[in-house]
Amino acid sequence: MKGSVHFRKDRGVWFVLWYHKLERKEYKIYRYKGELMYSERVAQKLLAVMQGDTENGTFRIEKFTGHGWTDTVPYLYEWLDVVKNDLSPATYKDYRNSIKNHLEPFFTEHPFQLHEIQYDVLRKLLNSINREGKGRANVMYCLHACLTYAWRSRRIPDTPPFPEKKHYRIQEKTITWLPEDRQLSILEKILKEHQPIFYWLKYHLRRPGEAMALHRVDYDSVNDLFIVRRSISARTLVNRTKTGVEHVIPCHSLFRPFIKKVRKDLSPYFFTCSNSRSEGKRYTSSIMNRIWKEACKKANEQISMYDGLKHSSCSQYVNEKNMALSDLQLITDHARLDSVKRYAKVEVSRRRELMEGNVVKLKKVRE
């Protein structure tokens, strides 16, 4: 078996002498798990690990020559700093919180190195995360992204398999939505100066962050359409949508009257708010949520802005206007049909009508 253990008298440390056949290069490995080897026993242990990896076909010299990069906690922070500019502000914030509040405490208590993170370690980590299903998944997604980066950088031999979806205990929430008459009742309670942005969301089925980030140049008046290519992430304007895809949205005919009501000022934003303190007087999440809640209170409704606008409009198309799911997918520009299937879940009142209707039919048959 290749490799041998030697002692260096001038430094008082042991090392493993290893010849890398593919590189035709000889390596002297002085550290095991980041620490200098002051005993022959530790050096022999390192040699056994290297020989074991060779037999298993998982040997990577980078695993043994790294200078502290294989320690999980510092690598997580170094990785996040490198990829920061590739992430949206919201994703960066979520990754940072995942590392600080969950990954760092776990790997400080259980000091596994990157290459030692395997399925059993990931199951322990998952069980230690004190968050709801989706929150637990977000922490694991963060670590998965980091390990994929480490694998591409040849810091680890491969990316370990992650726990199956069933172990995340993610419970799909039932969509809450309103029939169109009740939705319109809320919109009518909004002050007229603020109505355009809310009606735009109703008729174009987009995210609030995209409406807040919409610029005047994003409206093509010649072809009467909007190009959605920006969004607001963690209160910051980003020149990309959440999915990284530009969406061309035809202007709904019922929204055209509101275009004339949009404020005409020097702001680059399509929708502006006179009492906003943000750049260009653009709307913010706090302003929009406050306006929406006030309108809901006047209309005697209690529903979130996202559910009351996008979810409600999508559900109305399927459950009230009998639109095919494939057509709804075309309107919303979803990449997968599965993303719109949840809107086809008929509301409880409609189920009751169908059930009672069947009862009536059975009575007539018996008579």
Side-chain angles (χ1 to χ4, degrees), residues 212-242:
M212 290 184 278
L214 196 69
H215 280 47
R216 293 186 184 280
V217 295
D218 297 333
Y219 174 59
D220 182 348
S221 59
V222 176
N223 296 300
D224 195 24
L225 54 82
F226 295 96
I227 303 176
V228 178
R229 49 192 166 198
R230 317 168 209 273
S231 187
I232 302 296
S233 177
R235 297 181 292 182
T236 302
L237 174 69
V238 292
N239 292 316
R240 63 186 297 273
T241 62
K242 183 178 181 181

Side-chain angles (χ1 to χ4, degrees), residues 90-206:
T91 301
Y92 172 75
K93 181 179 179 181
D94 185 70
Y95 279 3
R96 184 185 61 193
N97 290 338
S98 294
I99 294 173
K100 181 179 179 181
N101 299 324
H102 302 283
L103 298 177
E104 180 178 1
F106 177 83
F107 287 109
T108 298
E109 182 179 356
H110 309 282
F112 293 101
Q113 292 187 305
L114 284 177
H115 68 280
E116 297 175 319
I117 300 176
Q118 297 300 322
Y119 182 81
D120 55 344
V121 176
L122 295 172
R123 285 296 304 273
K124 289 180 181 179
L125 169 63
L126 183 60
N127 292 335
S128 74
I129 301 173
N130 186 25
R131 296 184 68 181
E132 296 298 325
K134 188 62 169 64
R136 288 153 57 88
N138 287 343
V139 175
M140 301 300 285
Y141 293 158
C142 172
L143 180 60
H144 190 277
C146 179
L147 292 180
T148 299
Y149 183 89
W151 169 70
R152 292 181 182 277
S153 302
R154 302 190 70 181
R155 297 292 180 182
I156 56 177
D158 53 30
T159 304
F162 271 62
E164 298 81 352
K165 188 176 180 179
K166 63 181 180 180
H167 296 299
Y168 291 77
R169 298 197 298 272
I170 300 176
Q171 185 172 355
E172 184 178 348
K173 294 182 179 179
T174 302
I175 287 180
T176 303
W177 65 280
L178 293 175
E180 190 167 31
D181 58 339
R182 290 169 60 185
Q183 181 194 47
L184 288 172
S185 177
I186 296 175
L187 293 172
E188 290 167 359
K189 299 296 188 299
I190 295 175
L191 293 176
K192 292 190 180 299
E193 65 176 295
H194 300 304
Q195 285 184 355
I197 190 171
F198 289 95
Y199 274 98
W200 188 86
L201 287 168
K202 169 187 168 45
Y203 289 125
H204 300 96
L205 313 180
R206 303 309 308 171

Side-chain angles (χ1 to χ4, degrees), residues 145-333:
C146 179
L147 292 180
T148 299
Y149 183 89
W151 169 70
R152 292 181 182 277
S153 302
R154 302 190 70 181
R155 297 292 180 182
I156 56 177
D158 53 30
T159 304
F162 271 62
E164 298 81 352
K165 188 176 180 179
K166 63 181 180 180
H167 296 299
Y168 291 77
R169 298 197 298 272
I170 300 176
Q171 185 172 355
E172 184 178 348
K173 294 182 179 179
T174 302
I175 287 180
T176 303
W177 65 280
L178 293 175
E180 190 167 31
D181 58 339
R182 290 169 60 185
Q183 181 194 47
L184 288 172
S185 177
I186 296 175
L187 293 172
E188 290 167 359
K189 299 296 188 299
I190 295 175
L191 293 176
K192 292 190 180 299
E193 65 176 295
H194 300 304
Q195 285 184 355
I197 190 171
F198 289 95
Y199 274 98
W200 188 86
L201 287 168
K202 169 187 168 45
Y203 289 125
H204 300 96
L205 313 180
R206 303 309 308 171
R207 298 180 177 89
E210 294 170 343
M212 290 184 278
L214 196 69
H215 280 47
R216 293 186 184 280
V217 295
D218 297 333
Y219 174 59
D220 182 348
S221 59
V222 176
N223 296 300
D224 195 24
L225 54 82
F226 295 96
I227 303 176
V228 178
R229 49 192 166 198
R230 317 168 209 273
S231 187
I232 302 296
S233 177
R235 297 181 292 182
T236 302
L237 174 69
V238 292
N239 292 316
R240 63 186 297 273
T241 62
K242 183 178 181 181
T243 58
V245 178
E246 287 191 0
H247 303 276
V248 178
I249 312 296
C251 180
H252 197 291
S253 60
L254 294 178
F255 180 75
R256 291 193 190 111
F258 290 97
I259 294 180
K260 299 178 181 179
K261 300 178 182 179
V262 173
R263 289 169 53 87
K264 300 295 189 295
D265 49 33
L266 298 178
S267 174
Y269 293 94
F270 192 85
F271 300 109
T272 56
C273 177
S274 58
N275 58 355
S276 173
R277 296 182 179 180
S278 295
E279 79 285 354
K281 292 289 183 179
R282 69 168 177 80
Y283 279 88
T284 64
S285 294
S286 58
I287 291 175
M288 291 191 67
N289 278 306
R290 175 177 54 78
I291 294 172
W292 177 260
K293 288 179 181 178
E294 290 174 355
C296 283
K297 186 176 182 180
K298 293 177 182 177
N300 197 28
E301 296 284 0
Q302 190 171 1
I303 189 170
S304 71
M305 181 170 63
Y306 201 92
D307 289 344
L309 291 171
K310 183 179 180 181
H311 282 173
S312 290
S313 292
C314 288
S315 298
Q316 291 161 17
Y317 272 121
V318 176
N319 298 311
E320 293 186 342
K321 303 175 184 179
N322 299 316
M323 178 179 285
L325 287 175
S326 57
D327 290 337
L328 179 61
Q329 180 188 11
L330 181 62
I331 292 176
T332 58
D333 223 7

